Amino acid sequence: MHRRTVTNGAGIAAFLLIALACGGMGEGATQWDQAADEIEAAEAPPPIGAIVEGSSFNAALPDDGHSGTTRVFTQEKEGYAEAEYKLDGKTVITVSVSDTRDNPSAREKFAGASATVGGYPAVEKGSNASMVLVADRFQVRASSSSLDHNARLTWLEAAHLTQLAALQPE
Amino acid sequence: MEHLHQTLSALPAQNLTVRLLKLTSQWVDDEWENVTDLATLIRKVTGETKESDLQAIGERAMRLYADPNEHYQRAVRVYRLVDDVDKLIGGASLVDQVAQRFSFLGFLDRLVPKPEKMQAVDAGAKLAAELVAFTSVNGLPGDSVSDFARSLANSAHEDRLRLVCWVVAEGVLPFGPDCVQLLIDRVGSASASDLQHSAIFGKIAPLLPGDAQALVVRTLEGIGDWAGALMKKQQLTQASVGASLRSILDVGEGSFDVLGAAIDVGTNYFEHTGTQSVARQIVKRAYGEI
C-alpha cells in the first residue's frame, strides 16, 4: 500500500486525519474523491443520441499521408474520434475531434483566444496540445510531444474545418 | 460503484502476473511499466505535468468511465470474465512477494493440464474476448475482425504485451510455433459438447454477434500473419518459451502442459493488462476532450 499524492496543504491535512481515523496507512483520501462523489450524486446520463457520431468526424481529420505520415484511426465513439499520425512507426501527432455538447465546459478556454485557425478561435493548453473550436461546437485538438504550438496549428489547418462545421445538426 | 482510479489501483504492483508480463516484455521490444495509479498514467499518456491539468483530465476520465453508455466498464468486465474462470487456487495465497521464482511444488497435484481440445477452445475464446473488449473501447462494430487484425500492427503498450503473452502462453507453450493453424483446426472442428466444456467460451459466446464459433475461427485467422511474424522474429519455440518461463515458475520436472496450467491458475495477465489498456484509452480521450 502506498500513500496517494494530494495537491494542497488542506488535502494533506485531510488525508492525515482520515489516515489516523482509519488506524494509520490504508485507503485514505485521494485526489479523485470529490469527483467520485459528484459522479455518484449526479443524475444518470441521458442515453447517447443527442451528439454527433464519431464516424462523421473521421473525414474531417487531416488526410492520411499529410506531411508524409501514415494515419491510423484509434478511437471512434459517440461524440469523439481520434487518429494517430505516424512516421517510421512512431506517433508524431494525435488529432482528435470531440463534440462539446457532451462537455460544454471545454468551450470556456476559447474565450478571449488571440489566435485563429480557419477563422475559428484557437488556443494552446498545457505543453503538448493545441486546439480550435469549430462552429462553437466541435473541438479539434492536436497533441504532440515533439511538435511545438505553431507546428500543431499547421496540423489543425490541415483538418477539414469547413466540412466539420457543416455537421452541426439543426 | 467502482471508479476508474479504484479499478486501476486495485491492480497489484508486484505479483506473479506482473513477473510474467515483465518476462514477456523481452519479446515485445518495449519496456513495460506496471502503472496502477491514475495520476501516473495521465502523466505518461499526455506528457503534461501541471497538477490542475492532470486533475481535470483525471476527472473527465472518471466521468467517461462511470457512464455506462460508453462501454468502458463493459470492456473491463470482459477482461475480468476471461481470467476469472481459470483460478483454481486463488491468487493471493500463491503470491510470494520476495521469491524470484514462484514455486508450485506444493500444488503440483492440482495443476491438471487441460485436454488439448479444451485448451484450444479456451485460447480461441480468450482471443475473441479481446475482440469484444477492443470493439467496446474503440467503438468499432462487434464483428470487425479486419479492423481488429489491422490494429495489431499498431498495438502498443499493454495491448501488445497482452497479445504477445497470449501467443506465448496459449499458443506456443502448449502447441508450438504452428499453434495458430492448430488452434484454427481444433476450434473449427470442435463439437457443441467440446464448446460446452470450455468455461471461457461459455462466458464469451453470448457477447459475440452471430455464430460465436465461426467468429472465433475468423479472429484466429485474422491474427495468423501477425503471430507468425512475431514467433519468427523472436524465434519462439516450446523449448525457448518453456526455459524462460521456468525462470519465474518452478513446476519441478513438469512438462510444458504443467507449466501452462501453472500460468492459467496463477496469473491473470488478461485482466491486469486489459484494465490498463482501457484506462489508457479513456485517458487519451479525456485529454482530447477537455
Side-chain angles (χ1 to χ4, degrees):
Chain A
M1 300 259 213
H2 51 276
R3 287 184 190 278
R4 308 276 181 231
T5 307
V6 289
T7 57
N8 56 57
I12 291 167
F15 170 76
L16 286 174
L17 277 173
I18 291 168
L20 283 170
C22 296
M25 292 251 278
E27 292 302 305
T30 76
Q31 70 192 95
W32 311 114
D33 288 352
Q34 190 179 331
D37 290 342
E38 285 168 14
I39 289 168
E40 291 185 23
E43 284 172 14
I48 288 183
I51 7 185
V52 176
E53 280 276 357
S55 53
S56 314
F57 294 151
N58 287 342
L61 290 167
D63 295 336
D64 182 26
H66 182 74
S67 275
T69 60
T70 306
R71 180 179 65 183
V72 178
F73 290 114
T74 46
Q75 287 200 57
E76 183 189 302
K77 309 276 275 175
E78 290 268 0
Y80 185 75
E82 177 191 281
E84 289 179 2
Y85 293 81
K86 296 180 185 256
L87 208 54
D88 300 325
K90 294 211 181 317
T91 301
V92 171
I93 191 163
T94 301
V95 184
S96 62
V97 182
S98 62
D99 185 342
T100 61
R101 174 163 288 191
D102 195 31
N103 184 25
S105 61
R107 292 180 218 166
E108 289 161 17
K109 58 187 176 288
F110 293 97
S114 50
T116 61
V117 172
Y120 299 111
V123 295
E124 182 178 13
K125 191 158 160 59
S127 37
N128 295 331
S130 306
M131 58 215 83
V132 58
L133 184 67
V134 174
D136 200 33
R137 175 76 188 263
F138 305 116
Q139 170 172 288
V140 186
R141 179 188 197 113
S143 53
S144 168
S145 51
S146 55
L147 300 179
D148 68 11
H149 179 56
N150 285 327
R152 296 191 298 256
L153 286 179
T154 312
W155 271 86
L156 290 174
E157 279 161 13
H160 305 285
L161 302 181
T162 316
Q163 196 174 323
L164 188 58
L167 288 177
Q168 170 97 259
E170 267 136 62
Chain B
M1 65 171 293
E2 188 181 76
H3 291 280
L4 178 61
H5 66 292
Q6 294 163 328
T7 304
L8 253 188
S9 64
L11 297 176
Q14 182 63 277
N15 66 353
L16 186 55
T17 297
V18 174
R19 283 212 195 100
L20 172 66
L21 291 165
K22 290 205 163 146
L23 183 79
T24 305
S25 64
Q26 68 179 298
W27 296 304
V28 177
D29 296 334
D30 188 16
E31 189 75 44
W32 177 65
E33 211 183 303
N34 182 32
V35 180
T36 60
D37 169 67
L38 182 58
T40 306
L41 179 64
I42 296 168
R43 270 186 213 103
K44 285 193 172 306
V45 168
T46 68
E48 299 291 348
T49 52
K50 200 163 147 213
E51 283 299 331
S52 57
D53 287 340
L54 298 175
Q55 187 70 24
I57 295 163
E59 290 185 9
R60 179 69 191 151
M62 285 171 67
R63 281 181 170 75
L64 287 168
Y65 185 67
D67 183 349
N69 292 325
E70 293 291 347
H71 295 162
Y72 294 120
Q73 290 180 54
R74 179 180 190 241
V76 170
R77 275 199 299 274
V78 169
Y79 285 122
R80 284 179 175 169
L81 257 183
V82 159
D83 266 329
D84 205 27
V85 289
D86 276 329
K87 305 293 155 275
L88 262 167
I89 300 172
S93 60
L94 287 189
V95 174
D96 180 343
Q97 303 276 2
V98 176
Q100 289 303 304
R101 196 162 161 246
F102 191 75
S103 175
F104 280 83
L105 295 179
F107 305 99
L108 285 178
D109 57 331
R110 294 171 72 182
L111 293 183
V112 179
K114 297 178 205 174
E116 195 191 74
K117 201 138 229 191
M118 194 197 297
Q119 178 82 45
V121 174
D122 278 357
K126 248 178 165 165
L127 190 66
E130 180 67 34
L131 174 72
V132 173
F134 171 80
T135 52
S136 282
V137 170
N138 295 326
L140 296 166
D143 59 355
S144 183
V145 175
S146 53
D147 283 318
F148 172 62
R150 251 201 306 274
S151 78
L152 289 175
N154 290 302
S155 62
H157 310 293
E158 295 85 14
D159 293 326
R160 178 164 284 234
L161 188 61
R162 176 169 61 260
L163 290 162
V164 171
C165 202
W166 179 88
V167 170
V168 165
E170 326 273 345
V172 180
L173 182 66
F175 299 111
D178 290 327
C179 48
V180 179
Q181 192 55 52
L182 258 155
L183 287 173
I184 290 168
D185 293 340
R186 296 284 182 280
V187 178
S189 64
S191 66
S193 164
D194 291 330
L195 297 177
Q196 264 166 19
H197 280 109
S198 163
I200 303 181
F201 187 85
K203 294 208 170 202
I204 295 301
L207 305 174
L208 299 174
D211 180 339
Q213 184 177 11
L215 184 53
V216 171
V217 171
R218 272 173 50 218
T219 311
L220 286 164
E221 286 166 349
I223 62 125
D225 287 345
W226 175 83
L230 169 75
M231 289 186 275
K232 189 170 172 190
K233 181 179 177 195
Q234 300 293 346
Q235 297 178 311
L236 299 180
T237 61
Q238 278 180 311
S240 67
V241 157
S244 270
L245 290 168
R246 284 184 202 279
S247 70
I248 58 165
L249 286 173
D250 183 5
V251 293
E253 296 302 312
S255 62
F256 297 134
D257 286 341
V258 173
L259 255 182
I263 293 174
D264 272 343
V265 304
T267 71
N268 65 337
Y269 72 89
F270 237 72
E271 177 188 347
H272 193 108
T273 57
T275 303
Q276 292 169 324
S277 288
V278 173
R280 184 180 284 269
Q281 283 296 79
I282 297 174
V283 165
K284 278 172 68 183
R285 178 175 168 188
Y287 185 45
E289 287 188 348
I290 56 136

